[in-house]
């Protein structure tokens, strides 16, 4: 085979460039050269995915591609001929986990010298990380990024068959690539990408650098994918994008995300979810559509990040806390029984005690059903990473603990309202701890553990709630 020209390394400066160039929709990029079609026969791959749902969905594409070229999935690294870590770069602790895992797995090369180690995903898009990998983790044979997953057969062939260290990471705006293989990991719930990338450039966030520009899939391609999922018996789809509200803006599509949501609802699939919605461009039309269709679930992940308007401004979030509250109230008024989750960052550079108090205030105001709380983690190349920071780590940790206490109290309080009520639950399967107990989620995305009388995985059943926990409910089928 032709040797690939040298390595392509990530470049953060190039990754932040945004042009007005039209996004190209590529339908025929994926092709497997003849000599690679069976390269995986008799071989096993071990894939571990970290991070958000977009990365999970990429993992399904990676698995689809690997199985197309003959590989079989295995679930312990010891059995593998190819180990691939599909990584997340959003916070330092996410990266440390991956580097720890990479170090721990190194020993396997001793017993199996032909083993190929690969790393992909958002960490591969970072200059500093690739430098560290090349210097300190020489057992990593293959590095590729988020823009060239479709090149996996060619890249892996080079690493595995030609035994050549292979690094190919592109820092570019990106295309929309259709018709890639997919191995769905769920049987009745599926992720559906509706757009890729992000153009919001919140000052703390690495995602716009690792994922390229905001670009939407064509509506027909999305709807056709959902129709196929319905035919295969899927009950639930989650529409994915870093900010789904921006769907269609790049296509100058009239109606935008509200229109896509409505068209999806009309297909009649039992449950539709979406994530993530940025509070900045959550339109009234979207609220109306969510309220109007019963198969759009009354659950919204609405990341607030901070309760202080000055802080929100420094974070580059494009809304004030008053605007957030107004939106929250509007959704609550129109979408009956709507549940909310949020993301919150504490300890942003120079956050004052008063500003942190405002974050506690917004938690008091919204009483979120769930909140994902994080200590700010500087990301190389982002504007916030260059800010001086006068908040000591122990103060950040203490703020996080206070915040979590508050968040947990409201999560429990929200759950108390379910006591004695009957809810609709989509059955996921036996619970991890007890095989006689089944688990699933309510329309409002509450985890329910319950005794099953009738029905099977993938059915939607009525469950009466008999007990409340902070992060789950117990019940019995009625
Ligand atoms: N696109 C989504 C989420 C992306 S990352 C959105 O905008 O909501 C998920 C969450 O990680 C963010 O909402 C934020 O709360 C957190 N996060 C992102 N960058 C971070 C950083 N540098 N330090 C700490 N938390 C961060
Ligand atoms: Fe990051 Fe902000 Fe984009 Fe979300 S909207 S991915 S927090 S830059
Ligand atoms: Fe992590 Fe990349 Fe998702 S940084 S949160 S895997 S977009």
């Amino acid at each position: 085979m032709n040797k690939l020209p040298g390595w392509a390394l990530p470049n953060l400066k190039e990754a932040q460039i945004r042009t007005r160039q039209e996004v190209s929709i590529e339908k025929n990029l994926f092709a497997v050269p003849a000599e690679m079609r069976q390269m995986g026969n008799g071989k096993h791959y071990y894939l571990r995915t970290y991070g958000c749902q977009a990365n999970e969905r990429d993992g399904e594409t990676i698995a689809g591609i690997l199985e197309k070229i003959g590989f079989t999935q295995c679930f312990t690294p010891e059995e593998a001929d190819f180990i691939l870590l599909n990584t997340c770069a959003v916070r330092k602790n996410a990266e440390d986990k991956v580097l720890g895992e990479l170090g721990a797995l190194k020993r396997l090369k001793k017993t199996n010298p032909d083993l190929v180690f690969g790393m992909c995903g958002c960490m591969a898009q970072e200059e500093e990380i690739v430098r560290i990998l090349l210097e300190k983790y020489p057992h990593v044979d293959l590095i590729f990024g988020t823009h060239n997953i479709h090149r996996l057969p060619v890249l892996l062939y080079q690493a595995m068959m030609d035994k050549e260290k292979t690094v190919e990471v592109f820092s570019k705006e990106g295309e929309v690539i259709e018709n890639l293989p997919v191995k769905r990991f769920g049987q009745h719930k599926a992720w559906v990408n509706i757009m890729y990338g992000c153009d919001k450039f919140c000052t703390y966030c690495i995602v716009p650098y690792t994922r390229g520009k905001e670009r939407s899939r064509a509506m027909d391609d999305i709807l056709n994918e959902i129709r196929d999922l319905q035919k295969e018996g899927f009950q639930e789809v989650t529409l994915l994008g870093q900010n789904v509200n921006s769907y269609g803006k790049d296509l100058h599509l009239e109606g935008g995300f509200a229109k896509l949501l409505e068209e999806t609802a009309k297909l009649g699939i039992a449950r539709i979810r979406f994530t993530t919605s940025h509070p900045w461009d959550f339109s009234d039309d979207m609220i109306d559509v969510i309220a109007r269709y019963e198969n759009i679930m009354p659950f919204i992940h609405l990341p607030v990040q901070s309760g202080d308007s000055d802080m929100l401004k420094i974070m580059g979030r494009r809304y004030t806390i008053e605007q957030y509250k107004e939106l929250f109230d509007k959704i609550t008024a129109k979408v009956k029984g709507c549940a909310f989750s949020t993301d919150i960052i504490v300890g942003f550079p120079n956050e004052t005690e008063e500003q942190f108090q405002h974050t506690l205030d917004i938690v008091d105001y919204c009483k979120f059903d769930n909140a994902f709380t994080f200590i700010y983690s500087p990301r190389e190349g982002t504007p916030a990473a260059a800010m001086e920071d006068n908040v000591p780590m122990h103060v950040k940790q203490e703020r996080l603990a206070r915040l979590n206490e508050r968040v947990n109290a409201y999560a429990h309080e929200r759950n108390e309202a379910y006591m004695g009520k009957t809810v609709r639950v989509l059955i996921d399967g036996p619970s991890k701890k007890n095989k006689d107990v089944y688990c699933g989620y309510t329309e409002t995305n509450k985890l329910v553990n319950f005794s099953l009388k009738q029905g099977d995985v993938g059915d939607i059943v009525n469950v009466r709630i008999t007990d409340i926990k902070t992060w789950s409910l117990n019940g019995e089928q009625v």
Side-chain angles (χ1 to χ4, degrees):
M1 67 173 279
N2 289 336
K3 287 279 179 302
L4 293 165
W7 289 347
L9 296 169
N11 180 311
L12 284 172
K13 282 260 166 329
E14 280 169 26
Q16 63 179 304
I17 296 171
R18 293 294 183 269
T19 66
R20 289 176 170 275
Q21 224 171 333
E22 288 283 312
V23 172
S24 67
I25 298 189
E26 301 289 345
K27 300 219 161 179
N28 301 308
L29 265 193
F30 180 72
V32 185
E35 69 268 33
M36 296 169 197
R37 282 191 195 139
Q38 280 151 33
M39 67 178 283
N41 282 4
K43 294 196 173 80
H44 289 88
Y45 71 96
Y46 173 82
L47 171 66
R48 183 134 182 227
T49 294
Y50 302 78
C52 65
Q53 295 94 333
N55 227 28
E56 288 286 337
R57 180 61 189 78
D58 283 351
E60 295 183 330
T61 298
I62 289 164
I65 292 176
L66 290 172
E67 299 199 4
K68 188 133 212 146
I69 55 175
F71 284 88
T72 307
Q73 187 166 19
C74 63
F75 297 92
T76 55
E78 285 76 14
E79 293 169 78
D81 302 282
F82 177 39
I83 294 179
L84 182 61
L85 304 185
N86 181 25
T87 63
C88 171
V90 81
R91 282 170 295 276
K92 185 167 183 299
N93 55 8
E95 295 184 343
D96 289 346
K97 250 194 269 172
V98 170
L99 295 177
E101 181 84 4
L102 263 185
L105 290 172
K106 188 177 169 184
R107 65 186 158 83
L108 295 177
K109 260 219 150 128
K110 287 215 179 83
T111 44
N112 178 7
D114 290 332
L115 176 66
V116 171
F117 265 106
M119 139 97 98
C120 64
C122 285
M123 275 171 81
Q125 296 289 145
E126 294 184 292
E127 280 174 40
E128 174 69 7
I129 291 291
V130 173
R131 196 181 59 73
I132 292 174
L133 289 178
L134 293 175
E135 270 176 23
K136 299 198 180 137
Y137 297 79
H139 62 294
V140 176
D141 310 287
L142 168 62
I143 303 172
F144 63 97
T146 59
H147 291 295
N148 53 347
I149 293 173
H150 61 282
R151 302 226 336 124
L152 180 53
V154 180
L155 300 173
L156 183 55
Y157 192 92
Q158 182 164 308
M160 191 171 258
M161 304 305 188
D162 297 344
K163 300 203 179 305
E164 226 178 76
K165 194 174 188 108
T166 301
V167 183
E168 186 181 274
V169 181
F170 299 127
S171 295
K172 58 178 184 177
E173 296 188 292
E175 302 91 14
V176 169
I177 303 176
E178 294 291 345
N179 300 328
L180 297 180
V182 54
K183 178 190 183 183
R184 306 262 175 198
F185 296 143
Q187 265 114 54
H188 54 276
K189 301 201 283 196
W191 310 112
V192 176
N193 287 316
I194 65 165
M195 56 192 301
Y196 305 97
C198 184
D199 287 348
K200 299 296 174 290
F201 287 98
C202 303
T203 55
Y204 50 81
C205 185
I206 194 71
V207 173
Y209 306 77
T210 63
R211 292 268 165 185
K213 95 162 157 193
E214 223 162 66
R215 52 209 194 274
S216 305
R217 292 178 69 198
M219 193 176 303
D220 280 344
D221 291 332
I222 298 167
L223 295 176
N224 284 334
E225 181 176 339
I226 298 170
R227 281 191 195 98
D228 288 345
L229 289 166
Q230 273 180 292
K231 280 188 213 137
E232 290 168 40
F234 281 84
Q235 292 271 53
E236 178 177 305
V237 290
T238 302
L239 308 180
L240 293 182
Q242 290 304 336
N243 175 21
V244 291
N245 309 358
S246 292
Y247 174 77
K249 284 182 187 170
D250 54 326
L251 303 174
H252 313 291
L253 189 92
E254 211 170 308
F257 183 56
K259 169 108 170 117
L260 174 66
L261 253 187
E262 179 154 31
E263 294 302 319
T264 305
K266 284 189 197 156
L267 296 178
I269 193 158
R271 289 184 164 194
I272 299 158
R273 302 185 186 278
F274 54 89
T275 196
T276 301
S277 277
H278 192 300
W280 171 66
D281 55 356
F282 204 115
S283 71
D284 287 352
D285 287 348
M286 277 173 61
I287 303 177
D288 287 339
V289 172
I290 297 164
R292 203 159 353 114
Y293 288 90
E294 279 197 349
N295 56 348
I296 303 177
M297 296 299 100
F299 169 76
I300 294 170
H301 182 59
L302 197 64
V304 66
Q305 313 298 1
S306 163
D308 184 88
S309 292
D310 292 337
M311 185 54 84
L312 288 169
K313 190 157 195 193
I314 301 169
M315 288 177 161
R317 289 293 289 180
R318 311 172 183 213
Y319 52 86
T320 63
I321 203 63
E322 287 70 32
Q323 286 166 328
Y324 184 91
K325 285 179 176 171
E326 205 180 297
L327 173 64
F328 180 88
D329 290 341
K330 227 173 1 182
I331 299 172
T332 306
K334 286 206 170 162
V335 182
K336 292 289 165 259
C338 191
F340 291 88
S341 63
T342 197
D343 291 342
I344 298 171
I345 298 175
V346 301
F348 195 81
N350 311 311
E351 180 189 58
T352 64
E353 174 62 24
E354 195 190 352
Q355 287 174 321
F356 172 68
Q357 285 295 337
H358 292 157
T359 293
L360 293 179
D361 292 343
I362 191 68
V363 172
D364 287 339
Y365 188 88
C366 298
K367 303 183 167 66
F368 296 107
D369 291 82
N370 194 359
F372 303 91
T373 56
F374 312 105
I375 290 180
Y376 163 72
S377 170
R379 305 286 70 209
E380 193 200 57
T382 63
M387 295 176 194
E388 265 189 62
D389 184 5
N390 64 10
V391 189
M393 188 42 99
H394 71 91
V395 174
K396 298 184 192 225
Q397 280 161 343
E398 182 264 338
R399 284 182 191 162
L400 182 69
R402 274 195 284 160
L403 174 63
N404 285 343
E405 204 178 304
R406 192 81 56 112
V407 161
N408 294 359
Y410 287 121
H412 197 277
E413 185 182 316
R414 285 281 184 186
N415 281 355
E416 279 165 16
Y418 285 74
M419 192 65 193
K421 293 233 170 82
T422 297
V423 289
R424 307 274 290 152
V425 174
L426 172 56
I427 308 176
D428 275 341
S431 91
K432 281 196 194 106
K433 287 188 206 135
N434 181 349
K435 294 275 171 268
D436 296 328
V437 175
Y438 276 70
C439 65
Y441 285 84
T442 66
E443 299 192 330
T444 51
N445 211 35
K446 304 264 176 202
L447 175 62
V448 183
N449 293 301
F450 63 102
S451 52
L452 181 73
K453 290 184 181 143
Q454 218 181 1
D456 209 344
V457 174
D459 289 347
I460 297 175
V461 295
N462 288 322
V463 175
R464 201 174 65 86
I465 301 305
T466 53
D467 194 16
I468 305 295
K469 302 260 162 65
T470 302
W471 302 119
S472 64
L473 309 169
N474 293 341
E476 51 193 28
Q477 192 183 353
V478 290

